[in-house]
Amino acid sequence: MEKMVYLYHPVDDLKQALTFYRETLGYEEAWREGKHTAALTIPGSTVRLLLEEDEKELGPGAVFLVNSVDEFHLEKNGTLTCLKEPFDIPPGRYAVYQDPSGNALRIIDFSNES
């Protein structure tokens, strides 16, 4: 894993969450994907806050950048519990695993970005 790129926060209502983080905390929107996902800049950090109306059952946590989600999956198959098999997302590939304490370990690659 190269580095943490997002701090993932599942939300019930994206519009309400965006209002809170922008107006109360002063974060700026970096990008948005449809009506269910948005990223915000965190002042003084290269990590972005990722808000999404999904994966609420997995809770909040870090999203780590890897060179290839598929290669990571092949290398770690059998050593990590996979919660979500690798799948396509707009910037690349994404998968979710579980650490020994039951926390979600999310990984992403940006293979679709130029």
Side-chain angles (χ1 to χ4, degrees), residues 68-79 85-86 97 107:
S68 168
V69 168
D70 294 318
E71 287 177 18
F72 181 93
H73 185 72
L74 287 173
E75 290 172 11
K76 304 301 181 187
N77 191 19
T79 60
E85 296 280 331
Y97 301 88
I107 63 166

Side-chain angles (χ1 to χ4, degrees), residues 1 7 9 18 48 56 60 73 76 79-80 82 89 114:
M1 287 187 262
L7 180 57
H9 275 240
L18 285 170
R48 291 186 172 164
K56 293 175 202 159
H73 185 72
K76 304 301 181 187
T79 60
L80 290 176
C82 185
I89 58 172
S114 52

Side-chain angles (χ1 to χ4, degrees), residues 1 5 31 34-35 41 47 59 62 64-65 69 74 87 89 92-93 96 99 102 112:
M1 287 187 262
V5 289
W31 55 262
K35 295 181 179 182
T41 59
V47 174
F64 296 95
L65 179 65
V69 168
L74 287 173
F87 64 95
I89 58 172
R93 303 275 287 160
V96 183
D99 77 6
N112 290 338

Side-chain angles (χ1 to χ4, degrees), residues 69 87-94 108-113:
V69 168
F87 64 95
D88 290 327
I89 58 172
R93 303 275 287 160
Y94 176 79
I108 190 172
D109 69 35
F110 296 137
S111 56
N112 290 338
E113 292 188 348

